[in-house]
Amino acid sequence: MKSKLSWIPFVPLALLGCFLKLGQGLLPEGSILGLSNLALEYLYLGCVALIFVFAVIFTAVDKKIAAYYLPRRNIFAGIVGLVLALLLAADGANELFRNFSSGKVDVLGVVGAVLALLSAIVFIVLGLSYVFRRKEGKQFSLLNVIPALYFGIEMILSFVSFTTISIRLADVSRLICYVFATMFFFNYALMLSLTKAKRAVKNCFVFGLPAVAVMLPYGAYHLAFSFSSESIMDNVRPLELLMLGLFVLCVLIEISVHVKREEELEYVTDDIPEIDVSKEKVEGFIASNQGEDDNDTEQEQDTSVLESRDTEDFLYQEQAREDEEEEDSEEKKAEAANFLTEVYEDDEDDRPKDYESRLDEIDKLILEINNQAD
Protein backbone atom coordinates (compact mmCIF):
# COMPACT_ATOMS: atom_id res chain seq x y z
CA MET A 1 0.00 0.00 0.00
CA LYS A 2 1.68 3.13 -1.26
CA SER A 3 -0.09 5.40 1.24
CA LYS A 4 2.26 4.14 3.95
CA LEU A 5 5.19 5.50 1.93
CA SER A 6 4.07 8.96 3.06
CA TRP A 7 5.99 8.30 6.27
CA ILE A 8 9.31 8.32 4.37
CA PRO A 9 9.32 12.06 3.52
CA PHE A 10 7.38 12.89 6.69
CA VAL A 11 10.10 11.87 9.16
CA PRO A 12 12.98 14.04 7.84
CA LEU A 13 10.77 16.98 6.89
CA ALA A 14 8.98 16.95 10.26
CA LEU A 15 12.33 16.89 12.09
CA LEU A 16 13.60 19.73 9.92
CA GLY A 17 10.46 21.77 10.55
CA CYS A 18 10.74 21.15 14.28
CA PHE A 19 14.35 22.37 14.22
CA LEU A 20 13.41 25.48 12.23
CA LYS A 21 10.59 26.32 14.64
CA LEU A 22 12.44 25.66 17.88
CA GLY A 23 15.59 27.28 16.50
CA GLN A 24 13.83 30.63 16.58
CA GLY A 25 13.95 30.51 20.37
CA LEU A 26 17.03 28.39 20.98
CA LEU A 27 19.44 30.29 18.73
CA PRO A 28 19.97 34.00 18.19
CA GLU A 29 18.30 35.47 15.17
CA GLY A 30 20.45 35.13 12.04
CA SER A 31 22.58 32.29 13.36
CA ILE A 32 20.94 29.76 11.02
CA LEU A 33 22.33 30.65 7.57
CA GLY A 34 21.78 34.30 8.39
CA LEU A 35 18.01 33.89 8.17
CA SER A 36 15.59 35.94 10.24
CA ASN A 37 12.98 34.37 12.47
CA LEU A 38 10.27 35.27 9.95
CA ALA A 39 12.19 33.45 7.20
CA LEU A 40 12.62 30.43 9.49
CA GLU A 41 8.89 30.52 10.17
CA TYR A 42 8.09 30.33 6.47
CA LEU A 43 10.64 27.57 5.91
CA TYR A 44 8.99 25.63 8.73
CA LEU A 45 5.62 26.06 7.01
CA GLY A 46 7.27 25.10 3.71
CA CYS A 47 8.29 21.74 5.21
CA VAL A 48 4.67 21.20 6.26
CA ALA A 49 3.53 22.00 2.71
CA LEU A 50 6.02 19.49 1.23
CA ILE A 51 4.71 16.78 3.58
CA PHE A 52 1.21 17.54 2.35
CA VAL A 53 2.27 17.34 -1.32
CA PHE A 54 4.06 13.99 -0.90
CA ALA A 55 1.08 12.56 1.01
CA VAL A 56 -1.27 13.60 -1.81
CA ILE A 57 0.96 11.94 -4.41
CA PHE A 58 1.41 8.65 -2.56
CA THR A 59 -2.27 8.30 -1.67
CA ALA A 60 -3.35 9.18 -5.23
CA VAL A 61 -1.42 6.25 -6.72
CA ASP A 62 -2.49 3.83 -4.01
CA LYS A 63 -5.24 1.55 -5.34
CA LYS A 64 -4.98 -1.25 -2.77
CA ILE A 65 -5.70 0.42 0.57
CA ALA A 66 -9.15 -0.32 1.99
CA ALA A 67 -11.77 2.41 2.00
CA TYR A 68 -12.89 1.51 5.55
CA TYR A 69 -11.08 1.00 8.84
CA LEU A 70 -12.32 -0.27 12.22
CA PRO A 71 -10.41 1.28 15.17
CA ARG A 72 -8.58 -1.03 17.56
CA ARG A 73 -7.41 -0.73 21.14
CA ASN A 74 -4.91 2.12 21.47
CA ILE A 75 -4.13 2.90 25.11
CA PHE A 76 -1.76 5.80 24.45
CA ALA A 77 -4.25 7.48 22.09
CA GLY A 78 -6.98 6.97 24.69
CA ILE A 79 -4.96 8.62 27.47
CA VAL A 80 -4.03 11.55 25.23
CA GLY A 81 -7.69 11.88 24.19
CA LEU A 82 -8.82 12.09 27.83
CA VAL A 83 -6.20 14.77 28.62
CA LEU A 84 -7.24 16.64 25.48
CA ALA A 85 -10.87 16.49 26.62
CA LEU A 86 -9.94 18.20 29.91
CA LEU A 87 -8.05 20.93 28.07
CA LEU A 88 -10.96 21.56 25.67
CA ALA A 89 -13.41 21.73 28.58
CA ALA A 90 -11.19 24.23 30.41
CA ASP A 91 -10.70 26.26 27.24
CA GLY A 92 -14.45 26.37 26.48
CA ALA A 93 -15.40 27.29 30.05
CA ASN A 94 -12.74 30.02 30.17
CA GLU A 95 -13.94 31.48 26.85
CA LEU A 96 -17.55 31.58 28.04
CA PHE A 97 -16.56 33.24 31.31
CA ARG A 98 -14.41 35.82 29.51
CA ASN A 99 -17.17 36.70 27.02
CA PHE A 100 -19.97 37.16 29.55
CA SER A 101 -17.82 38.94 32.14
CA SER A 102 -16.51 41.51 29.67
CA GLY A 103 -20.01 42.83 28.96
CA LYS A 104 -19.49 42.56 25.20
CA VAL A 105 -20.49 39.16 23.88
CA ASP A 106 -18.66 37.83 20.83
CA VAL A 107 -21.15 35.53 19.10
CA LEU A 108 -18.52 33.60 17.17
CA GLY A 109 -16.45 33.20 20.33
CA VAL A 110 -19.47 31.88 22.27
CA VAL A 111 -20.23 29.39 19.49
CA GLY A 112 -16.61 28.24 19.56
CA ALA A 113 -16.73 27.84 23.35
CA VAL A 114 -19.89 25.73 23.19
CA LEU A 115 -18.35 23.56 20.46
CA ALA A 116 -15.22 23.20 22.62
CA LEU A 117 -17.34 21.80 25.47
CA LEU A 118 -19.12 19.41 23.10
CA SER A 119 -15.76 18.37 21.61
CA ALA A 120 -14.55 17.57 25.12
CA ILE A 121 -17.44 15.11 25.48
CA VAL A 122 -16.57 13.53 22.12
CA PHE A 123 -12.91 13.08 23.13
CA ILE A 124 -13.97 11.51 26.44
CA VAL A 125 -15.98 8.92 24.52
CA LEU A 126 -13.12 8.38 22.05
CA GLY A 127 -10.53 8.09 24.83
CA LEU A 128 -12.55 5.56 26.82
CA SER A 129 -13.31 3.53 23.71
CA TYR A 130 -9.61 3.40 22.79
CA VAL A 131 -8.59 2.35 26.31
CA PHE A 132 -11.23 -0.32 26.98
CA ARG A 133 -11.82 -1.75 23.52
CA ARG A 134 -11.18 -5.50 23.48
CA LYS A 135 -11.77 -6.12 19.80
CA GLU A 136 -12.62 -4.32 16.62
CA GLY A 137 -15.13 -1.65 17.48
CA LYS A 138 -18.57 -1.00 16.16
CA GLN A 139 -19.64 1.90 14.02
CA PHE A 140 -19.34 5.39 15.49
CA SER A 141 -21.74 8.23 15.06
CA LEU A 142 -21.20 11.20 12.81
CA LEU A 143 -21.34 13.32 15.98
CA ASN A 144 -17.56 12.91 15.93
CA VAL A 145 -17.55 15.70 13.36
CA ILE A 146 -18.08 18.21 16.20
CA PRO A 147 -14.31 18.65 16.79
CA ALA A 148 -13.93 19.50 13.11
CA LEU A 149 -16.58 22.20 13.52
CA TYR A 150 -14.80 23.59 16.58
CA PHE A 151 -11.43 23.76 14.82
CA GLY A 152 -13.16 25.37 11.86
CA ILE A 153 -14.49 28.14 14.12
CA GLU A 154 -11.01 28.63 15.59
CA MET A 155 -9.60 28.84 12.06
CA ILE A 156 -12.06 31.62 11.22
CA LEU A 157 -11.27 33.48 14.44
CA SER A 158 -7.54 33.25 13.72
CA PHE A 159 -8.04 34.55 10.19
CA VAL A 160 -10.23 37.44 11.37
CA SER A 161 -7.59 38.49 13.91
CA PHE A 162 -5.12 39.08 11.06
CA THR A 163 -7.16 42.03 9.79
CA THR A 164 -6.28 44.15 12.83
CA ILE A 165 -2.51 43.51 13.05
CA SER A 166 0.53 43.59 10.79
CA ILE A 167 1.30 40.50 8.73
CA ARG A 168 4.73 40.31 10.43
CA LEU A 169 2.99 39.92 13.78
CA ALA A 170 0.32 37.50 12.52
CA ASP A 171 0.54 33.98 13.90
CA VAL A 172 0.21 32.20 10.54
CA SER A 173 1.36 28.85 11.89
CA ARG A 174 -1.60 28.81 14.31
CA LEU A 175 -3.96 29.31 11.37
CA ILE A 176 -2.29 26.42 9.50
CA CYS A 177 -2.68 24.24 12.60
CA TYR A 178 -6.42 24.73 12.66
CA VAL A 179 -6.73 24.28 8.88
CA PHE A 180 -5.17 20.81 8.94
CA ALA A 181 -6.92 19.91 12.20
CA THR A 182 -10.30 20.76 10.67
CA MET A 183 -9.68 18.68 7.56
CA PHE A 184 -8.22 15.73 9.46
CA PHE A 185 -11.02 15.43 12.03
CA PHE A 186 -13.67 15.75 9.35
CA ASN A 187 -12.25 12.74 7.47
CA TYR A 188 -11.55 10.99 10.77
CA ALA A 189 -15.25 11.28 11.65
CA LEU A 190 -16.18 9.83 8.25
CA MET A 191 -13.81 6.92 8.84
CA LEU A 192 -15.17 6.19 12.32
CA SER A 193 -18.80 6.29 11.18
CA LEU A 194 -18.04 3.96 8.23
CA THR A 195 -19.68 6.42 5.89
CA LYS A 196 -19.40 5.52 2.22
CA ALA A 197 -16.42 7.68 1.26
CA LYS A 198 -13.64 6.25 -0.87
CA ARG A 199 -10.91 8.62 0.34
CA ALA A 200 -11.69 8.87 4.08
CA VAL A 201 -8.75 6.67 5.14
CA LYS A 202 -6.41 8.20 2.54
CA ASN A 203 -7.33 11.73 3.60
CA CYS A 204 -6.37 10.88 7.16
CA PHE A 205 -2.81 10.50 5.85
CA VAL A 206 -3.07 13.53 3.58
CA PHE A 207 -4.16 15.95 6.34
CA GLY A 208 -2.96 14.08 9.43
CA LEU A 209 0.77 14.00 8.66
CA PRO A 210 0.98 17.78 7.97
CA ALA A 211 -1.14 18.40 11.07
CA VAL A 212 1.37 16.52 13.22
CA ALA A 213 4.31 18.32 11.59
CA VAL A 214 2.83 21.76 12.29
CA MET A 215 1.16 21.24 15.68
CA LEU A 216 3.91 19.48 17.64
CA PRO A 217 6.60 22.14 17.01
CA TYR A 218 4.08 24.96 17.47
CA GLY A 219 2.88 23.70 20.86
CA ALA A 220 6.38 22.88 22.08
CA TYR A 221 7.75 26.29 21.02
CA HIS A 222 5.05 28.32 22.77
CA LEU A 223 5.22 26.25 25.95
CA ALA A 224 9.01 26.53 26.07
CA PHE A 225 9.57 30.15 25.03
CA SER A 226 6.20 31.91 25.40
CA PHE A 227 4.96 30.41 28.64
CA SER A 228 2.73 32.81 30.58
CA SER A 229 3.17 32.68 34.34
CA GLU A 230 0.66 35.47 34.97
CA SER A 231 -2.33 33.80 33.34
CA ILE A 232 -2.19 30.02 33.32
CA MET A 233 -5.20 29.81 30.98
CA ASP A 234 -3.17 31.50 28.24
CA ASN A 235 -1.07 28.34 28.06
CA VAL A 236 -4.06 26.11 27.40
CA ARG A 237 -4.17 26.67 23.63
CA PRO A 238 -0.51 25.72 22.97
CA LEU A 239 -0.82 22.68 25.24
CA GLU A 240 -4.08 21.80 23.51
CA LEU A 241 -2.40 21.86 20.08
CA LEU A 242 0.54 19.82 21.40
CA MET A 243 -1.76 17.10 22.74
CA LEU A 244 -3.82 17.27 19.58
CA GLY A 245 -0.69 16.57 17.49
CA LEU A 246 0.14 13.59 19.72
CA PHE A 247 -3.39 12.23 19.36
CA VAL A 248 -3.30 12.49 15.56
CA LEU A 249 0.14 10.85 15.51
CA CYS A 250 -1.11 7.90 17.59
CA VAL A 251 -4.13 7.44 15.33
CA LEU A 252 -2.01 7.52 12.16
CA ILE A 253 0.43 4.94 13.55
CA GLU A 254 -2.49 2.67 14.43
CA ILE A 255 -4.03 3.03 10.97
CA SER A 256 -0.70 2.37 9.27
CA VAL A 257 -0.17 -0.84 11.25
CA HIS A 258 -3.68 -2.33 11.06
CA VAL A 259 -5.25 -1.00 7.86
CA LYS A 260 -6.17 -3.77 5.39
CA ARG A 261 -6.08 -4.14 1.68
CA GLU A 262 -9.25 -3.70 -0.34
CA GLU A 263 -9.42 -7.39 -1.32
CA GLU A 264 -9.15 -8.46 2.34
CA LEU A 265 -12.42 -6.81 3.28
CA GLU A 266 -15.77 -8.53 2.96
CA TYR A 267 -18.65 -6.12 2.51
CA VAL A 268 -22.06 -7.05 3.92
CA THR A 269 -24.96 -5.14 2.40
CA ASP A 270 -28.72 -5.24 2.89
CA ASP A 271 -29.57 -4.30 -0.66
CA ILE A 272 -32.92 -5.63 -1.92
CA PRO A 273 -32.53 -7.55 -5.19
CA GLU A 274 -34.10 -5.95 -8.20
CA ILE A 275 -37.43 -7.39 -9.32
CA ASP A 276 -37.42 -9.03 -12.73
CA VAL A 277 -40.18 -7.32 -14.72
CA SER A 278 -39.42 -8.94 -18.04
CA LYS A 279 -42.24 -10.05 -20.31
CA GLU A 280 -41.69 -13.71 -19.43
CA LYS A 281 -41.98 -13.04 -15.66
CA VAL A 282 -45.18 -10.97 -15.77
CA GLU A 283 -46.95 -13.15 -18.31
CA GLY A 284 -50.22 -14.54 -16.92
CA PHE A 285 -50.64 -11.83 -14.27
CA ILE A 286 -53.48 -9.30 -14.35
CA ALA A 287 -51.30 -6.25 -14.86
CA SER A 288 -51.09 -3.61 -17.48
CA ASN A 289 -49.21 -0.39 -18.08
CA GLN A 290 -52.07 1.14 -20.05
CA GLY A 291 -54.56 3.69 -18.87
CA GLU A 292 -57.85 2.81 -17.21
CA ASP A 293 -59.90 3.83 -20.24
CA ASP A 294 -57.90 1.52 -22.48
CA ASN A 295 -58.30 -1.34 -20.02
CA ASP A 296 -62.07 -0.77 -19.78
CA THR A 297 -62.40 -0.82 -23.58
CA GLU A 298 -60.45 -4.06 -23.89
CA GLN A 299 -62.48 -5.69 -21.12
CA GLU A 300 -65.75 -4.81 -22.89
CA GLN A 301 -64.48 -6.35 -26.12
CA ASP A 302 -63.35 -9.47 -24.31
CA THR A 303 -66.70 -9.98 -22.55
CA SER A 304 -68.59 -9.70 -25.84
CA VAL A 305 -66.42 -12.45 -27.26
CA LEU A 306 -67.03 -14.61 -24.20
CA GLU A 307 -70.80 -14.24 -24.54
CA SER A 308 -70.75 -15.47 -28.11
CA ARG A 309 -68.01 -18.09 -27.99
CA ASP A 310 -67.47 -19.41 -24.50
CA THR A 311 -70.83 -21.25 -24.40
CA GLU A 312 -70.20 -23.29 -27.52
CA ASP A 313 -70.10 -27.13 -27.22
CA PHE A 314 -71.93 -27.13 -23.84
CA LEU A 315 -74.56 -29.88 -23.11
CA TYR A 316 -77.72 -27.94 -23.67
CA GLN A 317 -80.05 -27.17 -26.51
CA GLU A 318 -82.16 -24.13 -27.08
CA GLN A 319 -85.89 -24.79 -27.64
CA ALA A 320 -88.78 -22.59 -28.54
CA ARG A 321 -90.76 -21.04 -25.70
CA GLU A 322 -94.13 -22.33 -27.01
CA ASP A 323 -93.11 -25.98 -26.91
CA GLU A 324 -92.00 -25.65 -23.30
CA GLU A 325 -95.36 -24.15 -22.32
CA GLU A 326 -97.30 -26.95 -24.04
CA GLU A 327 -95.28 -29.70 -22.37
CA ASP A 328 -95.67 -28.03 -19.00
CA SER A 329 -99.48 -27.79 -19.35
CA GLU A 330 -99.86 -31.47 -20.28
CA GLU A 331 -97.71 -32.58 -17.35
CA LYS A 332 -99.72 -30.39 -14.98
CA LYS A 333 -103.03 -31.87 -16.19
CA ALA A 334 -101.74 -35.42 -15.72
CA GLU A 335 -100.57 -34.66 -12.19
CA ALA A 336 -103.79 -32.83 -11.27
CA ALA A 337 -105.93 -35.87 -12.14
CA ASN A 338 -104.66 -37.62 -8.99
CA PHE A 339 -105.77 -34.76 -6.68
CA LEU A 340 -109.25 -33.93 -5.32
CA THR A 341 -109.35 -30.78 -7.24
CA GLU A 342 -109.44 -30.03 -10.87
CA VAL A 343 -107.70 -27.26 -12.65
CA TYR A 344 -109.84 -24.78 -14.60
CA GLU A 345 -108.57 -22.22 -17.02
CA ASP A 346 -110.91 -19.58 -15.52
CA ASP A 347 -108.68 -16.89 -14.01
CA GLU A 348 -111.49 -15.43 -11.83
CA ASP A 349 -112.50 -18.61 -9.91
CA ASP A 350 -109.96 -21.39 -9.65
CA ARG A 351 -112.09 -23.52 -7.19
CA PRO A 352 -113.48 -26.96 -8.39
CA LYS A 353 -117.11 -27.19 -9.41
CA ASP A 354 -118.15 -29.59 -6.59
CA TYR A 355 -116.65 -27.38 -3.92
CA GLU A 356 -120.02 -26.66 -2.20
CA SER A 357 -121.13 -30.30 -2.15
CA ARG A 358 -117.83 -31.33 -0.73
CA LEU A 359 -118.20 -28.61 1.92
CA ASP A 360 -121.58 -30.09 3.08
CA GLU A 361 -120.06 -33.53 3.46
CA ILE A 362 -117.24 -32.12 5.55
CA ASP A 363 -119.74 -30.34 7.85
CA LYS A 364 -121.72 -33.54 8.31
CA LEU A 365 -118.53 -35.40 9.17
CA ILE A 366 -117.64 -32.80 11.78
CA LEU A 367 -121.11 -33.07 13.40
CA GLU A 368 -120.83 -36.84 13.62
CA ILE A 369 -117.48 -36.60 15.28
CA ASN A 370 -118.84 -34.11 17.84
CA ASN A 371 -121.87 -36.38 18.62
CA GLN A 372 -119.62 -39.35 19.18
CA ALA A 373 -117.48 -37.30 21.45
CA ASP A 374 -120.52 -36.39 23.59
Side-chain angles (χ1 to χ4, degrees):
M1 290 177 283
K2 296 181 177 62
S3 296
K4 296 181 180 181
L5 298 178
S6 303
W7 288 96
I8 297 176
F10 166 76
V11 174
L13 288 174
L15 292 176
L16 179 59
C18 185
F19 170 74
L20 293 173
K21 183 65 178 178
L22 295 178
Q24 300 174 31
L26 290 173
L27 301 174
E29 186 173 0
S31 61
I32 303 176
L33 300 177
L35 299 175
S36 63
N37 287 343
L38 184 62
L40 292 178
E41 183 76 9
Y42 284 120
L43 285 177
Y44 151 68
L45 296 178
C47 293
V48 175
L50 284 177
I51 293 173
F52 173 74
V53 171
F54 280 114
V56 170
I57 294 173
F58 284 120
T59 56
V61 298
D62 189 1
K63 305 297 181 183
K64 296 182 179 180
I65 190 171
Y68 301 93
Y69 175 75
L70 291 175
R72 296 172 178 266
R73 189 179 184 184
N74 192 337
I75 298 178
F76 191 71
I79 295 174
V80 174
L82 293 175
V83 174
L84 184 58
L86 295 176
L87 293 174
L88 287 171
D91 189 12
N94 179 62
E95 186 67 22
L96 286 176
F97 177 77
R98 187 181 65 81
N99 268 277
F100 289 106
S101 62
S102 63
K104 184 179 180 181
V105 178
D106 182 9
V107 177
L108 200 59
V110 172
V111 173
V114 173
L115 289 175
L117 295 175
L118 296 177
S119 299
I121 298 174
V122 172
F123 276 104
I124 289 174
V125 176
L126 288 175
L128 293 176
S129 63
Y130 272 122
V131 172
F132 297 106
R133 182 180 287 112
R134 298 295 181 183
K135 57 181 180 179
E136 293 185 349
K138 299 180 181 179
Q139 295 185 15
F140 284 77
S141 171
L142 268 179
L143 291 176
N144 292 325
V145 80
I146 291 178
L149 298 177
Y150 166 66
F151 297 129
I153 294 294
E154 292 297 325
M155 177 183 63
I156 296 173
L157 289 173
S158 299
F159 182 78
V160 171
S161 65
F162 294 167
T163 60
T164 59
I165 58 177
S166 173
I167 189 63
R168 293 182 61 88
L169 301 176
D171 194 357
V172 181
S173 55
R174 179 185 177 186
L175 174 65
I176 302 301
C177 287
Y178 285 122
V179 169
F180 283 111
T182 301
M183 298 305 299
F184 170 79
F185 277 97
F186 176 76
N187 289 280
Y188 180 62
L190 293 179
M191 186 191 70
L192 291 181
S193 60
L194 297 180
T195 303
K196 189 175 181 181
K198 294 183 179 180
R199 291 190 56 86
V201 178
K202 291 182 179 180
N203 287 339
C204 286
F205 286 97
V206 172
F207 299 107
L209 292 175
V212 173
V214 71
M215 285 189 290
L216 288 180
Y218 179 87
Y221 173 83
H222 282 274
L223 289 175
F225 305 107
S226 300
F227 187 83
S228 178
S229 57
E230 296 179 358
S231 178
I232 301 298
M233 294 305 298
D234 292 340
N235 303 313
V236 171
R237 290 291 176 89
L239 183 59
E240 179 184 305
L241 289 174
L242 178 63
M243 300 305 294
L244 192 63
L246 289 176
F247 180 83
V248 176
L249 181 62
C250 295
V251 171
L252 291 178
I253 294 174
E254 177 199 342
I255 295 174
S256 301
V257 173
H258 298 291
V259 69
K260 297 182 179 180
R261 297 176 181 270
E262 184 69 25
E263 58 270 14
E264 294 176 354
L265 292 183
E266 181 179 355
Y267 297 100
V268 180
T269 59
D270 297 330
D271 295 338
I272 301 174
E274 295 183 359
I275 301 174
D276 189 359
V277 292
S278 59
K279 185 176 180 181
E280 292 78 6
K281 292 293 182 180
V282 300
E283 198 173 36
F285 288 89
I286 303 175
S288 175
N289 59 354
Q290 300 177 354
E292 295 182 357
D293 297 336
D294 296 338
N295 286 332
D296 294 340
T297 305
E298 290 184 0
Q299 289 177 2
E300 291 177 0
Q301 294 175 356
D302 293 340
T303 53
S304 63
V305 173
L306 291 174
E307 289 177 358
S308 60
R309 294 183 180 180
D310 289 356
T311 56
E312 292 182 358
D313 300 328
F314 275 73
L315 298 176
Y316 80 96
Q317 184 177 0
E318 294 184 358
Q319 295 181 354
R321 184 67 179 172
E322 296 179 358
D323 297 340
E324 291 180 357
E325 291 179 355
E326 291 179 0
E327 290 180 0
D328 291 341
S329 60
E330 291 179 358
E331 291 178 358
K332 289 179 180 179
K333 290 179 180 180
E335 292 177 358
N338 298 325
F339 289 92
L340 296 176
T341 58
E342 295 182 1
V343 179
Y344 292 91
E345 300 296 335
D346 188 5
D347 295 334
E348 296 179 357
D349 189 5
D350 56 351
R351 295 181 298 175
K353 293 181 179 181
D354 56 346
Y355 177 78
E356 295 180 356
S357 60
R358 294 288 180 89
L359 185 60
D360 294 339
E361 293 178 358
I362 292 172
D363 293 337
K364 291 178 180 179
L365 182 59
I366 292 171
L367 290 174
E368 291 179 359
I369 291 172
N370 291 331
N371 293 330
Q372 291 179 1
D374 294 337

